Amino acid sequence: MKTAYIYLENGVFFQAKSFGAEGTQVGEVVFNTSMTGYQEIITDPSYAGQFVTFTMPEIGIVGANPQDNERETTHCKGIFVRKYQDFHSNFRSKESLSSFLKSQNIMGICEIDTRGLTKMLREEGAMMAIVSTQISSKEELAKTLASSSRIEEINYIQEVSLKNQKTHTQGTFCFESFDFQTPATNKTIIAIDFGAKDNILNELVQAGLNTIVKPYSFQADEIIALFDEGKIQGVFLSNGPGDPMVLSKEVEQIKKLIDKKIPIFGICLGHQLLSIAHGYPTEKLKFGHHGGNHPVKDLKTGAVQITAQNHNYSVTEAIKEVAEVTHINLFDGTIEGVKYKHSPIFSVQYHPEASPGPKDSTQLFREFAQML
């Protein structure tokens, strides 16, 4: 393994080992508390522009396989792990994690104190960093980092969104046959791809929805015309990376859909964009929510669901003026779900499709289908 050099914007500098792609990358460092599913996390487009620190100390033993990818192309900058295990032992494994990362040009950094790094991020907040297998000088790394764009200044959805419209027909993975299902569909929706995980689209299809996926650069007038003609019954707004407040063009298009009172379901970034389109800006959390073990309370039923989450931004309490808060996070009390008072629109901050994570909330996809 080559030596890797890491410099954080708070001035911390340390050395580690590299087991992924070589080179120099700049990104935001966050931590993820999931115990399993590292491949799904790495291939989640919402991590575009970020280094993911895994709190799980041993990573790599189950290798990698094509079925667990959430997108074909990976967009995170790299991963930090305490100990990398190159020997992979799983009947579904096709290659080592190291081989997978190199094929995707993603950095893999190991032999660092991820517990200490996680504590630092928890206390000081998510921060920018530069990682290199080429530059060893602390001063040069600091200079390069200072001159690089911050994550909130970059529109990453331009990179992660699909380029052309497609129809998604694949349902969820069936563990009995180790294949994906193709259920019958009876309603048609437009899914806007801001960086949608494949399993979100799978769950929409599984709920009985014919899912037409459009790029982030969608035109609301085209969707409204399809709705008026009865060719579609609703719209889904996906998850995605980056700061939602920079997506002014997308917000303007969403406003048109809201005014038309088209049924809409939003997840994660889609949840945040709906709030902004209603006139209520989001705020950045100190270190975000990233993991597969976040308790969320359904305020209507009182039930507590364990959820998968991946976001740095949050809808604020001001949204209560136009929406009913339906779910809250039991870790910090932040808003996790809303239902708008005067429109057929609801959204959640967490990931009901999981992958990885618990499946406690998959009924939300069926609720969307029933609403249509």
Side-chain angles (χ1 to χ4, degrees):
M1 295 183 186
K2 276 195 169 185
T3 301
Y5 303 90
I6 300 100
Y7 179 82
L8 303 176
E9 66 175 311
N10 65 352
V12 172
F13 172 72
F14 52 93
Q15 298 181 23
K17 296 296 182 181
S18 167
F19 66 92
E22 298 176 6
T24 302
Q25 294 284 1
V26 174
E28 183 181 54
V29 185
V30 298
F31 64 87
N32 186 293
T33 58
S34 292
M35 299 292 286
T36 61
Y38 57 75
Q39 187 178 338
E40 292 95 323
I41 293 166
I42 293 168
T43 56
D44 181 347
S46 294
Y47 281 112
Q50 294 179 321
F51 290 100
V52 183
T53 302
F54 286 101
T55 60
M56 177 65 180
E58 297 269 352
I59 296 291
I61 191 64
V62 298
N65 70 83
Q67 290 176 323
D68 286 347
N69 287 341
E70 285 300 321
R71 289 291 278 262
E72 289 184 8
T73 304
T74 306
H75 296 279
C76 71
K77 295 292 185 176
I79 62 173
F80 294 157
V81 305
R82 175 66 187 91
K83 183 177 181 181
Y84 168 65
Q85 178 58 260
D86 194 57
F87 171 75
H88 51 106
S89 177
N90 184 278
F91 72 102
R92 297 174 65 225
S93 177
K94 300 298 182 184
E95 61 181 328
S96 69
L97 178 58
S98 174
S99 172
F100 174 75
L101 292 178
K102 290 174 181 177
S103 71
Q104 295 286 323
N105 196 33
I106 302 299
M107 301 191 82
I109 308 300
C110 65
E111 304 300 327
I112 66 173
D113 180 7
T114 52
R115 185 183 179 92
L117 179 58
T118 298
K119 285 185 175 181
M120 183 191 303
L121 296 173
R122 189 182 65 194
E123 294 167 4
E124 300 184 36
M127 63 184 75
M128 297 296 292
I130 181 170
V131 182
S132 180
T133 58
Q134 303 165 321
I135 305 170
S136 59
S137 166
K138 175 182 176 181
E139 291 72 24
E140 188 176 348
L141 289 171
K143 183 179 179 181
T144 302
L145 178 61
S147 62
S148 300
S149 298
R150 299 186 63 82
I151 190 169
E152 57 265 26
E153 299 169 346
I154 304 172
N155 185 343
Y156 275 109
I157 66 168
Q158 296 176 351
E159 295 183 18
V160 304
S161 179
L162 57 79
K163 306 307 178 190
N164 299 298
Q165 176 179 309
K166 72 170 186 177
T167 299
H168 191 88
T169 58
Q170 180 175 284
T172 57
F173 190 75
C174 177
F175 282 96
E176 285 73 21
S177 62
F178 291 100
D179 202 356
F180 291 91
Q181 303 176 73
T182 53
T185 57
N186 49 42
K187 296 286 184 181
T188 299
I189 64 165
I190 297 291
I192 306 302
D193 176 27
F194 298 120
K197 293 169 62 180
D198 280 351
N199 203 48
I200 286 181
L201 303 178
N202 295 348
E203 290 285 358
L204 289 168
V205 172
Q206 197 68 33
L209 299 172
N210 180 37
T211 304
I212 301 170
V213 189
K214 284 185 175 291
Y216 76 99
S217 55
F218 71 100
Q219 295 300 310
D221 291 341
E222 179 185 346
I223 293 176
I224 290 170
L226 293 171
F227 181 73
D228 287 339
E229 294 168 5
K231 294 181 179 179
I232 67 164
Q233 285 74 48
V235 172
F236 171 77
L237 304 179
S238 84
N239 64 296
D243 185 349
M245 293 299 291
V246 306
L247 305 179
S248 56
K249 293 181 180 178
E250 292 76 10
V251 167
E252 288 304 312
Q253 297 302 313
I254 292 171
K255 285 181 179 178
K256 294 182 180 180
L257 302 179
I258 293 171
D259 291 342
K260 183 63 178 177
K261 294 192 180 300
I262 295 177
I264 302 175
F265 174 32
I267 288 177
C268 202
L269 179 63
H271 165 77
Q272 297 160 7
L273 291 175
L274 282 167
S275 176
I276 297 169
H278 278 88
Y280 299 90
T282 54
E283 62 183 7
K284 188 168 185 177
L285 298 171
K286 185 176 181 180
F287 46 78
H289 295 164
H290 310 278
N293 49 9
H294 287 245
V296 167
K297 185 174 183 178
D298 184 329
L299 297 181
K300 184 177 180 180
T301 66
V304 176
Q305 302 166 348
I306 304 304
T307 68
Q309 305 212 11
N310 176 22
H311 63 102
N312 281 357
Y313 298 86
S314 178
V315 169
T316 68
E317 294 287 327
I319 197 66
K320 292 180 179 179
E321 295 180 11
V322 295
E324 171 193 357
V325 175
T326 57
H327 299 78
I328 60 168
N329 189 301
L330 294 183
F331 279 156
D332 59 10
T334 52
I335 294 172
E336 291 284 354
V338 297
K339 182 178 181 181
Y340 287 88
K341 296 176 181 178
H342 306 295
S343 303
I345 299 172
F346 72 100
S347 61
V348 292
Q349 181 61 76
Y350 54 95
H351 282 260
E353 84 292 342
S355 293
K359 300 283 188 178
D360 292 18
S361 307
T362 53
Q363 82 281 353
L364 289 174
F365 296 99
R366 296 187 291 276
E367 289 178 12
F368 181 45
Q370 290 165 4
M371 183 176 76
L372 301 185

